[in-house]
Amino acid sequence: GAVLELCLRAGRRTLLHSFIVEMCAAMVSSAVAVGFFHFLPAVRDANLIIIGTMMPLVPGVAVTNAARDTLQGDFVSGCARILEAFVKAFSAALGVGIAIYLYRALNGGGL
């Protein structure tokens, strides 16, 4: 979680788009979790660590606001907000996927 927050703070100082910042933060924090799994014998399930660190990136409030806007009749605003929420969720998933793919490619399988 601390690694995720450090990456997000460093990314916000740059002029990069939030999609790239969140993807890179998810990738780095997932890589750290996978590193813990690989190098520390006490860590038995890296998936739980990855899920726990990715929870701050889940756009739950944005989805709720999108549903509220849509139910109030603001269809354009609701569609825009739900699309933004899905793009943010996709960026986090892409970052985690890249980290896991790289681990599997370098170590020949299993996580």
Side-chain angles (χ1 to χ4, degrees):
V3 171
L4 178 69
E5 184 61 29
L6 287 173
C7 290
L8 288 174
R9 285 186 184 193
R12 288 183 189 129
R13 291 183 185 156
T14 64
L15 297 176
L16 293 174
H17 194 270
S18 64
F19 180 87
I20 302 295
V21 170
E22 289 183 10
M23 183 187 68
C24 291
M27 187 170 47
V28 168
S29 63
S30 296
V32 168
V34 168
F36 283 153
F37 172 75
H38 186 74
F39 292 112
L40 297 176
V43 177
R44 297 176 189 232
D45 194 5
N47 295 327
L48 296 176
I49 298 171
I50 293 171
I51 290 169
T53 58
M54 292 301 111
M55 289 308 291
L57 294 178
V58 175
V61 175
V63 172
T64 303
N65 289 338
R68 187 193 68 213
D69 285 347
T70 303
L71 292 174
Q72 288 179 346
D74 296 331
F75 297 115
V76 174
S77 175
C79 288
R81 286 185 190 216
I82 198 72
L83 181 63
E84 178 187 5
F86 285 146
V87 167
K88 286 186 177 214
F90 178 71
S91 71
L94 185 64
V96 172
I98 289 171
I100 291 174
Y101 175 78
L102 290 174
Y103 175 77
R104 287 183 179 170
L106 294 174
N107 290 318
L111 176 66

